[in-house]
Amino acid sequence: MINKIKENWVYLLITALIFTALGAGGSFLFQDSQARKASDAGQVEQAIIDVLGAYDDGDYGRAKGRLCGFALENYTKFNKQEAEQQGLDAQRKQGRQKLVNVEVVADGDKAFVLADTYREGDPKSTAQAALFKMERSGGTWRMCSYADM
């Protein structure tokens, strides 16, 4: 009888350890997935900031290298000198472009971002909602389209 109780106790203990290990593993995987999504969101937001900064700096090559799809097609319609001058003029008159209230939805290599944008030096400027479509290519997030709402 005592051996039976000891045997059941051992099985119960082993079962409890297995369930604890499975729970911890599942929790770890879930947390890892959440951390990856948060990391993607931060990278996507930074990619947008980099593109806006390249526009503001009048750096045609840097901006072009961070674009794809429709955004790249539209940007390259300008000649390099026009694009650079346009960015520099806007920055001089109204300040740098800023993002606030950023919401990122990323899934794999695609992301959509809803954010308010404004120019920091324009006292009449109000934040305007904008939608960005982003794609990751070669490990780098690129802006493929942008629309004011």
Side-chain angles (χ1 to χ4, degrees):
M1 177 80 164
I2 291 181
N3 285 339
K4 186 90 169 154
I5 292 172
K6 284 182 183 178
E7 189 176 300
N8 286 341
W9 179 253
V10 169
Y11 288 131
L12 186 61
L13 183 59
I14 290 172
T15 303
L17 289 172
I18 289 171
F19 279 114
T20 301
L22 288 175
S27 175
F28 175 76
L29 291 175
F30 177 74
Q31 288 174 354
D32 186 47
S33 171
Q34 295 296 70
R36 199 170 28 251
K37 286 181 181 178
S39 174
D40 280 349
Q43 291 173 11
V44 168
E45 183 176 348
Q46 186 58 51
I48 295 170
I49 291 168
D50 290 347
V51 170
L52 298 179
Y55 287 152
D56 288 344
D57 294 339
D59 191 335
Y60 183 83
R62 193 171 99 217
K64 187 177 166 186
R66 288 174 169 76
L67 299 173
C68 61
F70 187 71
L72 179 60
E73 184 180 311
N74 278 342
Y75 191 64
T76 54
K77 286 180 183 176
F78 293 106
N79 73 42
K80 183 177 186 280
Q81 230 175 353
E82 284 176 334
E84 288 177 344
Q85 194 58 50
Q86 193 175 47
L88 290 170
D89 287 347
Q91 179 189 348
R92 242 188 320 275
K93 291 176 187 171
Q94 302 168 325
R96 298 185 72 77
Q97 297 177 81
K98 296 292 183 182
L99 287 179
V100 292
N101 304 322
V102 179
E103 294 292 330
V104 177
V105 177
D107 186 19
D109 290 337
K110 297 194 185 300
F112 288 93
V113 179
L114 182 61
D116 293 331
T117 63
Y118 68 96
R119 291 224 175 241
E120 67 182 351
D122 184 359
K124 298 175 189 166
S125 178
T126 57
Q128 182 173 352
L131 179 65
F132 301 87
K133 179 184 176 200
M134 306 291 289
E135 288 184 13
R136 181 171 29 205
S137 171
T140 301
W141 285 100
R142 294 176 180 9
M143 182 190 300
C144 296
S145 66
Y146 166 88
D148 289 327
M149 301 182 74

